[in-house]
Amino acid sequence: MYKRSAPICALILAVCLLSGCTSDASVPPSVSVVFETSTTPSEPPLPSNNATISPSELLHSPSASNRPAIDLTNEPPLSEYQQTMPVPDFLDTELQTLYRKASNLYVGPFGFMSMDIEYATFEEQTLSQYESVNVNGYEYLKAHGRYKHWEDFFIVTHSIFTDEYFNDLNTISDGMDRFAEKDGNLCVLDVANGSSPHRNENFPDEFALLERTDTTISFTVKGFYSYGYPHEGESFEERDARLKAGYESTEEFPIEMIMTDGGWRFSKFADTVLDMSYIG
């Protein structure tokens, strides 16, 4: 059906009234004249760095840019190691997967290297091929990988971490954000942390449940550590044999999950390599 907007229809009616065209023959008394108004569906606001929109609302809202809604089933993508890494056996399969996803983001983009958020989508590209943008006086790189749209990045990260914990992870210093939004794009501050060889990979992480209620799951992850370099006079083969024979120390780190309106989220996470204090 052809539709007229209300203002145009009103104008036509006014002209007809003035010209006398609204006779009994033109509009029978038993007929109701209905003017249809055209409306444009409102779009949800695009989340910004300090968005107050709740993740549960956003996850169930249509995309602000009319893109297909992101499928969280396989987001973020897990490496072969992450698919087989040690996970708490007191968590069900769904929460074990959430743990793997949290580890992916915590160790990579929020840990050792922020540019890991690109997930090697452009393996041959160097940092010089990224567009530099200014965000709040700092130089960022405009992402063009898997989560180049801030909205997608926001949805994925907030499906794993609580709002408050996301802000903690994203804040580096002096209020500067590791990841920021500009014009709807994800912008990345190129920062990285060094890794340590002292985590003894011959002894997998161990987990201990501290508390479990309907709204909270708290537990610890324990790492095993040894001096990873050859000691003076020790060959690499002897070093490897020493690492397989035992470890020199252990360290435990707290992890917490809480139930939110959108489901379980991590309010605290840890990694036995990234967070270790052992020096050797």
Side-chain angles (χ1 to χ4, degrees), residues 27-221:
V27 182
S30 60
V31 177
S32 298
V33 180
V34 179
F35 299 105
E36 299 184 24
T37 59
S38 61
T39 59
T40 301
S42 60
E43 296 179 342
L46 185 66
S48 64
N49 301 37
N50 299 316
T52 57
I53 182 172
S54 71
S56 59
E57 290 177 336
L58 185 61
L59 290 174
H60 295 90
S61 300
S63 171
S65 55
N66 295 322
R67 299 191 313 277
I70 191 168
D71 182 5
L72 293 175
T73 305
N74 298 310
E75 300 295 339
L78 301 177
S79 67
E80 183 177 348
Y81 166 75
Q82 289 159 351
Q83 293 176 23
T84 59
M85 65 185 291
V87 294
D89 59 9
F90 46 80
L91 298 180
D92 61 27
T93 301
E94 182 179 354
L95 293 186
Q96 286 178 345
T97 299
L98 189 64
Y99 180 92
R100 299 179 196 277
K101 291 181 176 183
S103 177
N104 176 302
L105 294 176
Y106 183 83
V107 175
F110 286 108
F112 287 125
M113 185 175 295
S114 59
M115 290 303 293
D116 278 353
I117 197 63
E118 293 287 84
Y119 291 105
T121 305
F122 304 92
E123 294 182 358
E124 301 301 323
Q125 294 191 0
T126 62
L127 292 180
S128 62
Q129 294 173 285
Y130 281 85
E131 178 184 350
S132 177
V133 294
N134 185 285
V135 181
N136 298 325
Y138 295 99
E139 183 177 321
Y140 284 72
L141 299 178
K142 183 178 177 181
H144 44 66
R146 192 176 194 90
Y147 305 128
K148 62 183 178 181
H149 301 288
W150 170 264
E151 180 188 15
D152 292 341
F153 169 76
F154 183 93
I155 290 175
V156 170
T157 53
H158 285 70
S159 72
I160 297 171
F161 303 116
T162 64
D163 295 6
E164 294 79 9
Y165 192 48
F166 168 83
N167 291 333
D168 289 343
L169 292 174
N170 198 42
T171 302
I172 299 178
S173 62
D174 299 329
M176 183 167 51
D177 292 326
R178 186 184 303 264
F179 301 103
E181 180 270 340
K182 185 172 186 178
D183 300 328
N185 300 305
L186 171 64
C187 300
V188 186
L189 193 66
D190 182 26
V191 292
N193 296 314
S195 60
S196 170
H198 301 313
R199 169 70 174 82
N200 193 327
E201 300 297 336
N202 294 288
F203 301 90
D205 290 346
E206 293 183 357
F207 304 91
L209 180 63
L210 300 179
E211 179 186 22
R212 181 163 195 161
T213 68
D214 292 338
T215 58
T216 303
I217 304 175
S218 59
F219 55 98
T220 61
V221 57

